Amino acid sequence: MRLLQAEAATRPTFWGIGPVEKALFYFLAALSTLVFAYGVYARVQRYRRGTDDPLPRLDDLSARIRSSARIVLTNQKQFDRDRVAGIWHTFVFWGFLTLFIATVILAFDEWVYRTGTAALLGTRQSFFQGDFYLSYSFVVDAMGLLFVVGLGVAIYRRYVDRTERLWGVHTSLEDGLLVWSLFLLGVGGYLTEGLRIVGTEFPAHETVSFVGYFVALVASTAGLSADLAEAVYPALWWSHALLALWFVAWIPYGKPFHVLSSFANVLTRDEQAGVRLPGVPADADPDDIGPSDIEDFSWKQLLDHDACTKCGRCSSVCPAKAAGRPLDPRDVILDLKEYRQDLDAGRTDEVPIVADGGTSVIDARTMESCLSCMACMDACPVEIEHVTQFTEMNRRLTESGEMDPNVQDSMMNVFQHGNTFGDPERERPDWVEDLDFEVPDARDEPVEFLWYVGDYPSYDERNRAVARSLARLFEAAGVDYGILYEDEQTAGNDVRRVGEEGLYEVLVEDNAAAIDDCDYDTIVTTDPHAFNTFKNEYPEFDDPDWTADDVAHYTQVVDDLLASGRLQVPASLAETVTYHDPCHLGRYNDVYEEPREVIRQTGGDLQEMPRNRNESFCCGGGGGGLWMDFDEDPKPSEERLREAVEDTDGEAVSRFVVACPMCVTMFEDGRKTGGFEDDLDIVDITELLVEAIEAGGATRTAEV
Ligand code: SF4
Ligand code: SF4
């Protein structure tokens, strides 16, 4: 006997399932929902035990929801750097969402519509029929197919291709369980559907369920009769239902929680995370600066830990990891999560969060390895804010006196002399002596551009050439500019990032006072690090009179001067060049095109390295990297120069162009140690421009 041969296009929701089994199913569904709800509640309660987050996380909520929905629904970050991952994740995401919505619609029809019409109209009615049913079935089958195909690709990449970034020390059973259980849910849904179609003798309208219909045809061809299908169906239906109910209950307790936590994390993200670091309250006890135990992390940071999907994108772009330093950003996030879970479950004793000597959750050397390049944050699809947490752990190390000795020396130099070299303050402006014109003193006269020269262009011989080149360009353009001479001090961007917040605050006060004493329109910096902190961090303190809009990097100013015709450069360089985006100019501040436009103006043939713009690979100098010694193989600078030599298209690159004094220093070193001296030269954009002007012989207002 066939249980049903529908007249209208529809299907029974519980075909072949008796009333007792149906009641059991409802009971288990309620249980699963309760276990799910309790799990979510417990997670939220755990976040509430974290500290308050110093930043507004839910301001302008409607805009946050809109932008987060766009990020999540488009899967845009999954496509970055890995198109295949973007495609399979989109298939799985939209397939999962469609199947979830389809289940909700079905439940609504079953529990609300049918019951409601029975009570109000006296007859049980259903909208799950006719055209609605046909459209529903087609869409669900189509999206379910994408879901299964997407998961098939994910399984292939994890287990056959063994994509490296998917595996790590925190890879565990749950990673396999997630993809396999979802895959089995998708496949199980089609098998159940196929069996029902065989059992109901292939209703004509079921061709819209084209995947299920195909499964039914295959099964029937293989000898499955309608009676056998009907007999086997309940067992298959139950296995599918139990898997689905178990999965729902498991969501808040394992990796599937990322379907919720990742959206929450994207929603509460700080757009300026890492770019401007949160300060330390003036009345903070030194023992409370930086996390000592897990409760010292803010609720947002605890959410960060839970949102991690172990995708390994951060690890795969981390220059510190690539260089063999003891840092893997994914492991840091997951070590903290695991420690919290173990502590909560009584599986471990309390230990310091970060310390030297191997007795802590995170080793000091791991945190010191971070170059603050922000590549991890740029790559993270769920907007985890690594750099903020890492800096706070560095603050703890600083407060407990466990700072790297070389960094400590640099900090002492800054404290005593206002520069990281430890050279006398009076020597800061010595670089001007080789010029055949006077560099104006911004302290004595109003200027359009107040030029903050910075430590490296002031004290480092190689970078002094960069400073002189920029001075020549300003002269050539005939602009009013001036410098602070001895009144400059280290800007402090990296002082802050190695965790020396107290010293940083002193630098803010001193530099802001010196700059505010001058009459200027725009602050222009040679160094992207100074640019970042002047633009994004200084204005958050009381002292400065300027805003972010008053600060520019020299590449922006020179680009404007060229565009307005105030500076003219003959396109005279017939060289193949490549450009390295400094982290603090590119990823930190989205300045990508101005430097390239300036380079093009020289006539140089600009060839891009594969990792360009936001995917740029750090030189190794940021976050205090310039002051530290690590065993690295290869150094980040060597790896980057190799990329320029081996991986660019077209003519061999003869010039490796940079726009950052720290990059100049790091790449000059990498050029020697990596054996690239015969391949290319390191030049700053200022030097390239001056060379073009000299080669072309004409400027607007002056000879350089
Ligand atoms: S900021 Fe850069 S160096 Fe630090 S963990 Fe992230 S990717 Fe690695
Ligand atoms: S931190 Fe972000 S990028 Fe890194 S593994 Fe976790 S989710 Fe992936």
Side-chain angles (χ1 to χ4, degrees):
M1 184 184 71
R2 303 283 77 74
L3 289 179
L4 178 113
Q5 185 64 56
E7 290 175 45
T10 187
R11 67 171 166 84
T13 315
F14 288 97
W15 182 73
I17 304 300
V20 176
E21 289 172 293
K22 195 171 162 184
L24 179 62
F25 172 77
Y26 280 141
F27 170 74
L28 291 175
L31 192 64
S32 154
T33 309
L34 275 177
V35 174
F36 168 86
Y38 177 77
V40 174
Y41 168 80
R43 290 261 189 183
V44 173
Q45 289 304 107
R46 189 64 187 86
Y47 303 144
R48 288 164 66 96
R49 282 166 54 194
T51 60
D52 287 344
D53 196 90
L55 299 168
R57 294 288 182 175
L58 289 172
D59 55 319
D60 203 358
L61 194 55
S62 61
R64 278 181 180 271
I65 291 172
R66 279 196 305 278
S67 65
S68 308
R70 193 183 61 247
I71 291 171
V72 172
L73 296 181
T74 60
N75 283 253
Q76 70 186 52
K77 294 208 75 165
Q78 276 82 4
F79 279 92
D80 282 353
R81 299 175 170 91
D82 189 343
R83 197 168 302 157
V84 175
I87 292 169
W88 81 249
H89 196 273
T90 303
F91 282 6
V92 172
F93 175 84
W94 278 102
F96 185 85
L97 202 60
T98 307
L99 296 177
F100 173 73
I101 293 169
T103 307
V104 171
I105 290 172
L106 203 54
F108 182 80
D109 180 67
E110 180 76 17
W111 297 341
V112 180
Y113 195 79
R114 294 184 196 203
T115 314
T117 50
L120 295 173
L121 306 174
T123 56
R124 257 173 92 79
Q125 296 181 9
S126 166
F127 60 74
F128 195 58
Q129 58 183 318
D131 288 346
F132 178 84
Y133 173 73
L134 296 175
S135 314
Y136 175 101
S137 294
F138 177 76
V139 170
V140 168
D141 256 45
M143 296 305 288
L145 184 61
L146 293 186
F147 180 69
V148 171
V149 169
L151 284 160
V153 176
I155 288 169
Y156 174 83
R157 283 169 62 109
R158 175 171 288 275
Y159 296 105
V160 182
D161 186 49
R162 294 191 76 83
T163 304
E164 196 182 334
R165 70 172 167 81
L166 300 177
W167 296 87
V169 293
H170 286 278
T171 302
S172 65
L173 188 64
E174 66 168 2
D175 301 298
L177 211 52
L178 176 61
V179 282
W180 280 110
S181 57
L182 286 174
F183 183 73
L184 290 177
L185 271 175
V187 171
Y190 286 125
L191 292 178
T192 313
E193 186 176 50
L195 233 62
R196 178 179 51 77
I197 291 171
V198 175
T200 52
E201 296 179 340
F202 292 89
H205 65 261
E206 285 295 357
T207 49
V208 294
S209 307
F210 62 97
V211 183
Y213 204 86
F214 175 75
V215 171
L217 284 175
V218 171
S220 178
T221 308
L224 182 72
S225 68
D227 286 338
L228 184 58
E230 188 180 328
V232 173
Y233 182 83
L236 189 63
W237 185 90
W238 268 113
S239 63
H240 181 62
L242 288 176
L243 182 59
L245 295 178
W246 165 80
F247 187 83
V248 169
W250 180 44
I251 286 175
Y253 303 94
K255 190 171 178 180
F257 187 60
H258 84 268
V259 299
L260 301 176
S261 58
S262 58
F263 183 78
N265 217 43
V266 173
L267 181 75
T268 54
R269 73 192 183 281
D270 170 26
E271 295 279 9
Q272 294 279 86
V275 169
R276 58 115 173 73
L277 296 169
V280 171
D283 56 355
D285 188 307
D287 288 343
D288 294 337
I289 297 175
S292 303
D293 59 53
I294 201 73
E295 309 302 341
D296 292 335
F297 286 94
S298 77
W299 63 265
K300 172 61 175 67
Q301 291 170 333
L302 299 180
L303 179 63
D304 267 357
H305 304 162
D306 280 1
C308 179
T309 65
K310 308 188 196 174
C311 70
R313 287 168 180 265
C314 54
S315 315
S316 67
V317 297
C318 176
K321 178 174 164 59
R325 291 186 179 205
L327 166 64
D328 181 324
R330 168 177 58 184
D331 289 352
V332 175
I333 296 296
L334 293 173
D335 283 348
L336 291 167
K337 175 182 174 178
E338 189 176 272
Y339 170 67
R340 168 167 49 90
Q341 291 181 334
D342 285 351
L343 199 61
D344 288 351
R347 291 191 292 263
T348 188
D349 295 330
E350 209 163 324
V351 293
I353 291 295
V354 59
D356 204 0
T359 55
S360 53
V361 184
I362 309 295
D363 191 72
R365 208 59 182 150
T366 300
M367 281 301 88
E368 289 160 0
S369 295
C370 179
L371 302 163
S372 295
C373 72
M374 292 247 291
C376 50
M377 290 174 57
D378 185 73
C380 181
V382 296
E383 304 281 355
I384 287 169
E385 298 168 3
H386 309 71
V387 172
T388 311
Q389 299 195 31
F390 293 4
T391 306
E392 288 180 5
M393 286 190 263
N394 277 333
R395 285 179 184 166
R396 175 91 303 270
L397 289 171
T398 303
E399 290 303 323
S400 53
E402 294 178 88
M403 190 179 253
D404 175 278
N406 292 332
V407 178
Q408 219 160 12
D409 289 347
S410 299
M411 296 304 101
M412 187 53 74
N413 289 337
V414 173
F415 182 70
Q416 291 177 336
H417 302 287
N419 67 77
T420 53
F421 291 83
D423 290 343
E425 294 88 316
R426 66 173 184 284
E427 291 179 11
R428 187 175 272 275
D430 283 1
W431 62 272
V432 303
E433 285 166 8
D434 288 347
L435 293 168
D436 51 9
F437 52 85
E438 285 223 347
V439 174
D441 190 335
R443 299 169 301 181
D444 297 339
E445 56 187 282
V447 292
E448 182 181 358
F449 296 112
L450 190 155
W451 175 18
Y452 173 85
V453 181
D455 276 13
Y456 276 77
S458 298
Y459 288 105
D460 171 58
E461 204 48 58
R462 171 65 185 87
N463 273 295
R464 284 179 164 178
V466 175
R468 286 192 279 269
S469 294
L470 185 51
R472 290 188 174 107
L473 294 176
F474 283 143
E475 287 289 320
V479 298
D480 288 332
Y481 73 103
I483 64 173
L484 289 167
Y485 281 83
E486 297 86 355
D487 283 355
E488 259 191 27
Q489 294 199 38
T490 303
N493 184 81
D494 298 77
V495 170
R496 190 173 217 200
R497 277 155 184 77
V498 297
E500 250 296 5
E501 187 69 8
L503 181 55
Y504 174 73
E505 288 173 11
V506 172
L507 293 169
V508 171
E509 204 174 310
D510 292 350
N511 280 315
I515 292 173
D516 284 342
D517 273 350
C518 302
D519 187 352
Y520 63 91
D521 292 338
T522 301
I523 301 166
V524 54
T525 73
T526 334
D527 176 6
H529 298 239
F531 169 60
N532 180 65
T533 197
F534 282 164
K535 183 179 176 69
N536 300 308
E537 298 187 313
Y538 273 52
E540 297 218 324
F541 289 79
D542 290 339
D543 316 79
D545 283 344
W546 70 82
T547 67
D549 292 340
D550 299 321
V551 184
H553 183 248
Y554 84 80
T555 51
Q556 298 174 300
V557 171
V558 170
D559 182 47
D560 276 351
L561 293 174
L562 289 167
S564 64
R566 292 168 80 184
L567 179 66
Q568 291 177 355
V569 176
S572 53
L573 293 184
E575 301 253 10
T576 302
V577 307
T578 194
Y579 172 65
H580 164 78
D581 291 276
C583 307
H584 281 72
L585 195 59
R587 264 194 300 273
Y588 271 69
N589 286 291
D590 289 332
V591 179
Y592 295 118
E593 298 314 318
E594 293 94 326
R596 287 177 167 76
E597 187 49 38
V598 173
I599 292 169
R600 284 189 201 100
Q601 295 277 328
T602 66
D605 172 21
L606 178 59
Q607 295 291 330
E608 295 288 358
M609 286 178 275
R611 290 176 288 188
N612 62 68
R613 296 181 171 80
N614 65 311
E615 295 179 13
S616 183
F617 190 76
C618 178
C619 68
L626 199 92
W627 308 315
M628 289 185 220
D629 284 330
F630 274 91
D631 285 336
E632 295 175 316
D633 186 22
K635 293 177 182 175
S637 56
E638 293 170 354
E639 163 57 16
R640 188 61 163 158
L641 292 173
R642 183 210 59 74
E643 185 179 353
V645 171
E646 295 177 9
D647 297 346
T648 44
D649 295 329
E651 292 285 312
V653 167
S654 60
R655 300 297 182 91
F656 186 90
V657 185
V658 296
C660 169
M662 285 197 186
C663 290
V664 170
T665 299
M666 297 307 288
F667 286 121
E668 287 289 11
D669 173 66
R671 180 171 167 264
K672 291 189 189 81
T673 58
F676 297 103
E677 284 170 295
D678 295 334
D679 297 312
L680 37 64
D681 293 326
I682 312 299
V683 287
D684 189 89
I685 288 183
T686 55
E687 297 173 309
L688 201 71
L689 271 175
V690 168
E691 196 181 323
I693 290 171
E694 284 173 344
T699 67
R700 177 180 170 273
T701 56
E703 293 298 317
V704 282

